[in-house]
DNA sequence: AATCCATGCAACCGCGGCGCA
DNA sequence: TTGCGCCGCGGTTGCATGGAT
């Protein structure tokens, strides 16, 4: 579950995050927001790449992140959304507050895919052979592992459907397609809402981390603040602003 | 008790899209 | 129009853990 800590060729740290790194990242983002993921680790005093910081924040540190078991309702929702949207984990994650796309993706691969495959194979056992070879998509490592495992078990699960293409929206019935379009419409609406937050009335709205992400900011020399954190090169992000941070406004996450 | 193996999860990698100069 | 930088997404990998043998 943990990756061996190491360093890449640029001297940036890789592998598992330590509690100290978590604290630094959390403190920095809570205080200044993520104004630029690429530059952020430098100012937060982290020897990580921006991508790694973003991933850590999105999957573990952000407020309201939900850990632990999935409820039956969540499972059903994921199955339904996956049937409509396919592997668009970020779109699926929008409908599960507190769950990250990565977490949902993992959950799908570890538990739900079997259920989905079982359900679909119930209805398509007769045409299993059609799937072999027609799906040119490379098998994932998990699927390979499962396939190897299946082979090791004396081919007793010969009829396992590794990945049913029935889930693809393109092949959905017209009814499913309309619900897919409806889903798309909802996603667009949510994106427009975010757009509104990050544009005109941004500075009067409660703190919204995502709105910082693509914001281009004029550079001013960084400085070290009272807490030992390096202030971002932005004239806009003031301490009083961050102090009004309200975790309850993270409905979108 | 030791080893093997399947599983779950955290993290990395590469690609595509978008905005800007 | 094009090239560049950045971000987000989805696929994949690596490792720990727990159950089976």
């Amino acid at each position: 579950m943990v990756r061996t800590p190491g360093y890449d060729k640029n001297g940036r740290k890789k592998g598992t995050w330590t509690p100290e790194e978590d604290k630094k990242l959390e403190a920095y983002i809570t205080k200044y927001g993520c104004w630029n993921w690429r530059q952020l680790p430098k100012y937060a005093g982290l020897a990580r790449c921006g991508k790694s910081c973003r991933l850590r924040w999105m999957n573990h540190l952000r407020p309201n992140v939900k850990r632990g078991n999935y409820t039956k309702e969540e499972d059903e929702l994921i199955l339904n959304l996956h049937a409509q949207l396919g592997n668009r984990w970020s779109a699926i994650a929008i409908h599960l507050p507190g769950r990250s796309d990565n977490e949902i993706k993992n959950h799908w691969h570890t538990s739900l895919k079997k259920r989905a495959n079982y359900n679909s194979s119930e209805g398509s056992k007769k045409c299993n052979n059609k799937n072999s070879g027609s799906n040119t998509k490379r098998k994932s490592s998990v699927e390979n592992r499962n396939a190897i495992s299946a082979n090791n078990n004396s081919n007793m699960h010969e009829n396992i459907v590794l990945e049913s293409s029935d889930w693809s929206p393109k092949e959905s019935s017209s009814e499913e397609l309309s619900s897919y379009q409806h889903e798309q419409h909802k996603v667009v609406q949510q994106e427009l809402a975010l757009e509104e937050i990050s544009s005109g009335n941004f500075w009067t709205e409660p703190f919204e981390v995502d709105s910082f992400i693509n914001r281009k900011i004029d550079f001013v020399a960084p400085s070290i603040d009272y807490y030992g954190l390096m202030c971002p090169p932005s004239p806009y992000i003031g301490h009083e602003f961050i102090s009004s941070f309200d975790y309850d406004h993270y409905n979108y996450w």
Side-chain angles (χ1 to χ4, degrees):
Chain A
M1 224 184 282
V2 219
R3 280 180 183 243
T4 316
Y7 293 85
D8 68 9
K9 58 185 176 209
N10 297 318
R12 287 179 304 205
K13 199 177 173 194
K14 291 171 67 176
T16 320
W17 279 69
T18 64
E20 288 73 28
E21 288 177 309
D22 281 348
K23 270 184 204 165
K24 278 186 184 177
L25 181 62
E26 195 170 16
Y28 193 89
I29 294 178
T30 301
K31 199 161 170 51
Y32 298 113
C34 23
W35 47 278
N36 181 321
W37 283 116
R38 201 177 163 92
Q39 300 290 322
L40 186 147
K42 189 168 67 186
Y43 292 97
L46 291 161
R48 295 272 182 174
C49 69
K51 271 188 165 186
S52 185
C53 293
R54 178 186 165 274
L55 200 70
R56 186 65 183 171
W57 171 258
M58 299 295 273
N59 292 333
H60 300 276
L61 301 177
R62 66 186 166 93
N64 291 349
V65 70
K66 212 189 279 181
R67 314 295 308 165
N69 295 339
Y70 282 73
T71 64
K72 198 179 170 187
E73 289 73 27
E74 284 177 314
D75 281 351
E76 292 303 322
L77 186 57
I78 294 169
L79 284 166
N80 287 335
L81 289 170
H82 187 268
Q84 293 166 22
L85 302 171
N87 292 354
R88 296 178 57 214
W89 307 115
S90 58
I92 293 173
I94 287 173
H95 301 275
L96 287 107
R99 302 289 190 186
S100 71
D101 53 352
N102 198 41
E103 203 187 358
I104 292 169
K105 179 174 61 181
N106 281 335
H107 184 55
W108 169 263
H109 283 303
T110 54
S111 333
L112 298 181
K113 190 163 74 171
K114 292 168 203 161
R115 271 174 66 184
N117 284 340
Y118 175 78
N119 290 339
S120 66
S121 64
E122 282 295 291
S124 61
K125 268 182 183 171
K126 294 168 201 165
C127 51
N128 273 347
N129 289 337
K130 274 199 289 182
N131 289 335
S132 60
S134 65
N135 187 358
T136 55
K137 219 176 168 185
R138 196 157 39 129
K139 282 180 191 169
S140 73
S141 62
V142 175
E143 288 168 341
N144 280 331
R145 277 191 261 175
N146 288 341
I148 289 165
S149 160
N151 282 336
N152 286 346
N153 289 333
S154 314
N155 296 325
M156 61 188 288
H157 300 302
E158 236 173 27
N159 290 331
I160 284 176
V161 180
L162 290 174
E163 175 93 11
S164 171
S165 58
D166 292 342
W167 296 103
S168 166
K170 286 176 189 170
E171 296 174 16
S172 301
S173 67
S174 58
E175 194 179 71
E176 285 166 337
L177 185 64
S178 67
S179 63
Y180 171 67
Q181 286 168 335
H182 177 64
E183 208 57 49
Q184 291 283 57
H185 177 67
K186 275 160 64 181
V187 168
V188 168
Q189 280 186 322
Q190 280 168 337
E191 284 169 353
L192 285 173
L194 279 175
E195 177 88 9
E196 192 178 58
I197 289 170
S198 63
S199 57
N201 49 2
F202 173 81
W203 298 109
T204 58
E205 289 291 332
F207 182 84
E208 172 58 67
V209 173
D210 221 8
S211 60
F212 281 102
I213 293 173
N214 293 317
R215 189 169 291 275
K216 300 291 181 191
I217 293 168
D218 292 340
F219 185 87
V220 295
S223 58
I224 306 294
D225 73 3
Y226 177 79
Y227 303 95
L229 294 168
M230 200 184 284
C231 298
S234 166
Y236 303 117
I237 305 170
H239 296 181
E240 68 286 351
F241 169 67
I242 301 299
S243 65
S244 66
F245 186 87
D246 184 357
Y247 285 103
D248 288 333
H249 287 90
Y250 269 89
N251 293 334
Y252 170 71
W253 300 93

